[in-house]
């Protein structure tokens, strides 16, 4: 069973045990609204948070595939992650304090008589007078730390899984779709991400790779949840709600595409061109050689040691978030087929133009396509070759071969 499968939990599950891994590999599956993490994830979580990863990217690296965990706000998830990693430290300190107290108690009991316990009222007053300022300062400091960490731009997703996948962004996408005036029952949501996200994710993966190896965790690079997948888990329900409950599915004739760019970090991929020149070849249709597919291919080819020499690990903290571009709507082609009768030999199938001069007033293509284009509000049409041809040598009307 892969680590990614171990984190999956149906909403009806309560607890599940991995007997083959021993008692220390107990996996607790919480309700859908909660996180599902393991004890050995704590070192990885601490390392990623210190590097500047957002809470949702931490879940991705921990292979949490519970979709409801990503739909919670980043600040709530960050609080739970910090509470989760602080449990171990608090538990160890309490155990050591209890051990020392019990040892001191035994030595005192041998020489001194037991004293009367202090009054509960005195303890309560002392806790109110002495503990309240320290507790209030600690709480204020914790809130400030959470606020600063939640507001900083993630070093991996560059803000896409932070402020760019909320209800505000869903409203913008829905408004762009409504403005196109399409008719559809379902839609598929696609995301286009900057290529440098692959480099940053690979850098963070190498950053935690030693921790994974020390914990003997069987975690593969491919088990990490992709940014696209997490983005869709968060946004699909929000977009569907803004569009009146339209089903957002994985396959549909109507596609809504969201594209993000980040000019600040465009140069993050450039070192790969010198390291793996075979992966970056210029083409006529591409404006840049640093496509996502080329970057992924180069990252699979470059050794880890060489990558660490050429790229910082973890990646540097960005100053700005990604910028969403215009939402693109695309419907697959509509094919209209049928039969027709032509009662005039001088009517060509397509517009008949010779030397820039039109020979006939109309054509079969124009007579059929005009009402179809109007009905579907299409941008254009194309007619496949039919049964009619034109004799260009004699410049005569087309000959009926049927």
């Amino acid at each position: 069973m892969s680590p990614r499968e171990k984190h999956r939990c149906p909403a009806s599950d309560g607890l599940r045990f991995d007997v083959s891994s021993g008692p220390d590999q107990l996996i607790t599956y919480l309700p859908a609204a909660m996180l599902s993490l393991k004890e050995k994830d704590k070192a990885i979580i601490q390392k990623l948070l210190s590097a500047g990863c957002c809470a949702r990217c931490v879940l991705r690296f921990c292979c949490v595939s519970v979709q409801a965990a990503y739909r919670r706000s980043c600040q709530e998830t960050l609080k739970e992650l910090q509470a989760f990693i602080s449990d171990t430290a608090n538990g160890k300190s309490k155990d050591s304090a209890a051990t020392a107290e019990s040892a001191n108690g035994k030595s005192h009991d041998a020489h001194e008589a037991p004293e009367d316990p202090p009054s509960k009222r005195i303890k309560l007053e002392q806790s109110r007078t002495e503990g309240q300022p320290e507790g209030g300062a600690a709480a204020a400091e914790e809130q400030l730390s959470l606020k600063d960490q939640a507001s900083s731009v993630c070093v991996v997703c560059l803000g896409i899984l932070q402020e760019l996948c909320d209800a505000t962004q869903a409203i913008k996408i829905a408004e762009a779709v409504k403005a196109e005036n399409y008719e559809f029952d379902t839609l598929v949501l696609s995301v286009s991400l900057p290529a440098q996200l692959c480099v940053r994710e690979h850098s963070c993966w190498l950053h935690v790779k030693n921790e994974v190896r020390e914990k003997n965790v069987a975690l593969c690079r491919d088990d990490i949840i992709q940014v696209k997948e997490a983005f869709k888990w968060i946004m699909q329900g929000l977009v569907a709600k803004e569009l009146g409950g339209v089903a957002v599915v994985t396959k549909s004739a109507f596609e809504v595409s969201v594209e993000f760019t980040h000019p600040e970090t465009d140069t993050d991929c450039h070192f790969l061109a010198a390291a793996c020149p075979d992966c970056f070849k210029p083409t006529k249709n591409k404006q840049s050689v640093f496509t996502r597919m080329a970057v992924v291919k180069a990252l699979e080819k470059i050794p880890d040691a060489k990558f660490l020499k050429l790229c910082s690990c973890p990646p540097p903290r960005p100053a700005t978030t990604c910028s969403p571009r215009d939402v693109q709507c695309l419907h697959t082609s509509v094919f209209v087929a049928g039969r027709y009768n032509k009662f005039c030999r001088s009517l060509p199938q397509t517009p008949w133009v010779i030397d820039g001069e039109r020979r006939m007033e109309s054509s079969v293509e124009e007579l059929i396509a005009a009402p179809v284009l109007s009905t579907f509000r299409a941008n254009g049409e194309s007619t496949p070759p039919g049964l009619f041809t034109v004799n260009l040598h004699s410049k005569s009307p087309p000959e009926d071969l049927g």
Side-chain angles (χ1 to χ4, degrees), residues 39 81 99 117 123 140 165 209 250 280 390:
E39 183 70 22
L81 291 176
T99 304
K123 283 186 177 182
C165 59
K209 190 175 181 179
T250 57
F280 301 93
V390 176

Side-chain angles (χ1 to χ4, degrees), residues 41 48 110 114 126 166 169 194 225 241 285 292 299 303 311 336 338 364 376 386:
D41 290 330
L48 290 172
Q126 289 178 352
D166 54 6
Q169 186 67 19
I225 306 297
K241 181 181 177 181
N285 299 329
R292 187 176 182 85
L299 292 175
C311 183
V336 179
V364 174
F376 287 99

Side-chain angles (χ1 to χ4, degrees), residues 138-161:
E141 184 178 354
E142 181 180 359
Q143 292 292 333
L144 184 60
S145 175
L146 286 172
K147 186 176 181 181
D148 292 341
Q149 198 161 5
S151 60
S152 60
V153 182
C154 177
V155 297
V156 181
C157 70
L158 300 176
I160 292 177
L161 296 181

Side-chain angles (χ1 to χ4, degrees), residues 139-332:
E141 184 178 354
E142 181 180 359
Q143 292 292 333
L144 184 60
S145 175
L146 286 172
K147 186 176 181 181
D148 292 341
Q149 198 161 5
S151 60
S152 60
V153 182
C154 177
V155 297
V156 181
C157 70
L158 300 176
I160 292 177
L161 296 181
Q162 292 174 295
E163 59 184 38
L164 294 178
C165 59
D166 54 6
T168 304
Q169 186 67 19
I171 293 174
K172 294 180 181 179
I173 295 175
E175 289 178 349
V177 174
K178 293 176 181 177
E180 295 291 337
N181 200 21
Y182 278 93
E183 294 182 5
F184 56 93
D185 298 325
T186 61
L187 67 89
V188 57
L189 183 64
S190 63
V191 189
S192 178
L193 303 176
Q196 56 265 33
L197 260 66
C198 300
V199 177
R200 289 179 163 264
E201 185 169 293
H202 190 75
S203 176
C204 274
W205 161 247
L206 295 179
H207 184 59
V208 300
K209 190 175 181 179
N210 293 332
E211 293 289 341
V212 173
R213 187 178 301 163
E214 291 175 1
K215 299 294 181 181
N216 295 323
V217 181
L219 179 61
C220 179
R221 173 74 169 80
D222 296 333
D223 291 330
I224 299 175
I225 306 297
Q226 297 298 313
V227 176
K228 287 185 177 182
E229 196 171 356
F231 180 86
K232 292 178 183 179
W233 289 347
I234 301 168
M235 294 298 295
Q236 283 177 349
L238 298 175
V239 173
K241 181 181 177 181
E242 296 298 329
L243 292 175
V246 175
V248 182
V249 295
T250 57
K251 188 176 181 180
S252 174
F254 182 61
E255 178 184 355
V256 178
S257 177
V258 184
E259 183 180 0
F260 295 97
T261 59
H262 196 260
E264 180 188 347
T265 58
D266 277 344
T267 58
D268 287 357
C269 308
H270 290 185
F271 74 95
L272 291 174
C276 305
D278 296 340
C279 299
F280 301 93
K281 297 180 179 179
T283 58
K284 295 181 179 179
N285 299 329
K286 299 293 183 180
Q287 297 180 354
S288 174
V289 296
F290 297 101
T291 62
R292 187 176 182 85
M293 293 299 298
V295 171
V296 171
K297 187 177 179 180
L299 292 175
E300 293 175 352
K301 200 173 182 181
I302 186 172
D304 292 347
K306 189 173 183 180
F307 181 90
L308 293 174
K309 289 181 180 179
L310 300 175
C311 183
S312 59
C313 184
R317 296 176 183 260
T320 59
T321 62
C322 282
S323 302
R325 301 186 67 179
D326 294 337
V327 178
Q328 300 292 331
C329 298
L330 177 65
H331 199 289
T332 56

